[in-house]
C-alpha cells in the first residue's frame, strides 16, 4: 500500500475523491467557485490591491491564454480549472468582476475567488483590496437572483442542482494566525483551539447563508473544501510550534 507524505495536500485527496465519486456522464452545466488564490481566475485584476498575478511568469504555461497572465496565481491552470476539465467543462468559469461575466453564467458559471482573501473578513487586509468569502457568497446571491429572473424558479432550481460548487478557503486565515509579522486583526491572538472553533463557525455560517430558499450547502453536486499544504511552507516549517 502506498504511503502518503506527511504534508500531502488535503486538496489532492479532495480532488481524487471528487473525480472518483462524481457521475461523469452527466457533467455539470456550470461551475461556481469560491475561495482564495488557489482558485482565483482573475478577480483581483479588477481590484486596487497589492495581491495581483497579472505579470509574467504567471500564466507562462497557460495554453488558453497563449502564455499570458490571466490573473491566476499559477504558471498554468488552477485546481478548479483541472477539476472542471476532468468533469467535462468546455470553458472555464470567468472571474465574476470581469466585464460581461454575467453573460457566461448559463454556459460556464462564475468564479468569485479572490487572492489573499479568507474566511474572516479581515484576513488579507495588508494587501488592501480582496473579496472575502462572505462577500463572494453575496455576489453569488446576485448571480442566483439573475438566474431566477432569466430562467424561472423551476428551471433555475434544476440548473443549480446540476451545477458544481467548490470552496477553497482558510489557508490565508491560518497563515496570518501563525505569522508573527502580521498582526492578527489588530488584537491579541486567541488560543489555537479558540481560533480553530471561530474559523470553523465562520465558515459554517457563510455556507449556510440563506439564498432565497436554499443555502450553498444544499446544492448536492459535489461540494467540497480544500486547504493548501501550508505546513510545507518554509514559514510554517520554521514556526516553533510546528517545526517539531
Amino acid at each position: 500500500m502506498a504511503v502518503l507524505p506527511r504534508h500531502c495536500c488535503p486538496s489532492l485527496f479532495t480532488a481524487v475523491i471528487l473525480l472518483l465519486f462524481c457521475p461523469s456522464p452527466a457533467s455539470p452545466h456550470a461551475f461556481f467557485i469560491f475561495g482564495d488564490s488557489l482558485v482565483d481566475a482573475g478577480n483581483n485584476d479588477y481590484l486596487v490591491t497589492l495581491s495581483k498575478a497579472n505579470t509574467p511568469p504567471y500564466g507562462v504555461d497557460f495554453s488558453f491564454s497563449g502564455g499570458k497572465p490571466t490573473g491566476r496565481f499559477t504558471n498554468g491552470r488552477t485546481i478548479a480549472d483541472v477539476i472542471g476539465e476532468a468533469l467535462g467543462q468546455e470553458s472555464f468559469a470567468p472571474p465574476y468582476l470581469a466585464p460581461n461575466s454575467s453573460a457566461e453564467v448559463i454556459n460556464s458559471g462564475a468564479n468569485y475567488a479572490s487572492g489573499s482573501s479568507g474566511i474572516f473578513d479581515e484576513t488579507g487586509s495588508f494587501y488592501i483590496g480582496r473579496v472575502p468569502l462572505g462577500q463572494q457568497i453575496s455576489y453569488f446571491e446576485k448571480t442566483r437572483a439573475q438566474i431566477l429572473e432569466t430562467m424561472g424558479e423551476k428551471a433555475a432550481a434544476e440548473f443549480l442542482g446540476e451545477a458544481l460548487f467548490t470552496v477553497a478557503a482558510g489557508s490565508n486565515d491560518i497563515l496570518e494566525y501563525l505569522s508573527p509579522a502580521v498582526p492578527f486583526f489588530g488584537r491579541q491572538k486567541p488560543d489555537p483551539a479558540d481560533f480553530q472553533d471561530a474559523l470553523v463557525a465562520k465558515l459554517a455560517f457563510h455556507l449556510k447563508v440563506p439564498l432565497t430558499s436554499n443555502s450553498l450547502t444544499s446544492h448536492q453536486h459535489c461540494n467540497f473544501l480544500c486547504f493548501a499544504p501550508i505546513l510545507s511552507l518554509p514559514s510554517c516549517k520554521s514556526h516553533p510550534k510546528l517545526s517539531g
Side-chain angles (χ1 to χ4, degrees):
M1 182 175 66
V3 179
L4 293 167
R6 178 182 176 186
H7 297 313
C8 187
C9 177
S11 62
L12 177 59
F13 293 124
T14 305
V16 171
I17 292 172
L18 180 79
L19 296 177
L20 285 177
F21 294 100
C22 280
S24 56
S27 60
H29 293 178
F31 199 177
F32 296 96
I33 303 162
F34 308 81
D36 51 31
S37 59
L38 288 175
V39 290
D40 186 353
N43 282 306
N44 277 23
D45 283 356
Y46 302 94
L47 300 174
V48 177
T49 178
L50 299 176
S51 179
K52 285 183 180 288
N54 59 351
T55 58
Y58 291 117
V60 66
D61 297 317
F62 194 61
S63 59
F64 299 92
S65 68
K68 297 179 180 179
T70 62
R72 288 169 168 79
F73 289 78
T74 173
N75 59 302
R77 297 172 296 168
T78 67
I79 183 64
D81 294 333
V82 173
I83 293 173
E85 281 192 314
L87 294 178
Q89 294 295 120
E90 296 182 355
S91 59
F92 299 126
Y96 174 79
L97 296 180
N100 302 320
S101 63
S102 59
E104 299 296 323
V105 168
I106 303 302
N107 295 322
S108 306
N111 186 313
Y112 307 91
S114 174
S116 299
S117 69
I119 295 171
F120 292 126
D121 292 347
E122 299 88 349
T123 296
S125 58
F126 171 81
Y127 297 95
I128 308 175
R130 75 272 181 222
V131 184
L133 182 60
Q135 183 62 51
Q136 295 177 34
I137 301 295
S138 295
Y139 285 155
F140 172 70
E141 290 187 72
K142 294 181 179 180
T143 299
R144 188 175 186 277
Q146 293 172 354
I147 294 173
L148 281 168
E149 183 179 354
T150 302
M151 304 179 67
E153 186 172 351
K154 183 178 179 180
E158 293 178 356
F159 173 79
L160 292 172
E162 294 175 346
L164 173 65
F165 291 79
T166 180
V167 181
S171 299
N172 291 325
D173 301 280
I174 296 172
L175 285 173
E176 286 198 6
Y177 176 77
L178 294 175
S179 176
V182 180
F184 186 67
F185 310 159
R187 60 178 182 270
Q188 186 177 3
K189 292 183 181 181
D191 292 333
D194 293 337
F195 169 77
Q196 174 181 288
D197 290 345
L199 188 66
V200 172
K202 190 69 171 179
L203 177 61
F205 171 78
H206 285 321
L207 298 184
K208 293 179 180 178
V209 170
L211 303 175
T212 308
S213 59
N214 277 318
S215 68
L216 190 57
T217 52
S218 70
H219 297 287
Q220 57 185 355
H221 205 96
C222 304
N223 298 314
F224 73 94
L225 308 174
C226 77
F227 294 81
I230 59 175
L231 292 180
S232 298
L233 295 176
S235 60
C236 290
K237 285 188 173 182
S238 62
H239 195 282
K241 294 184 178 180
L242 300 174
S243 57

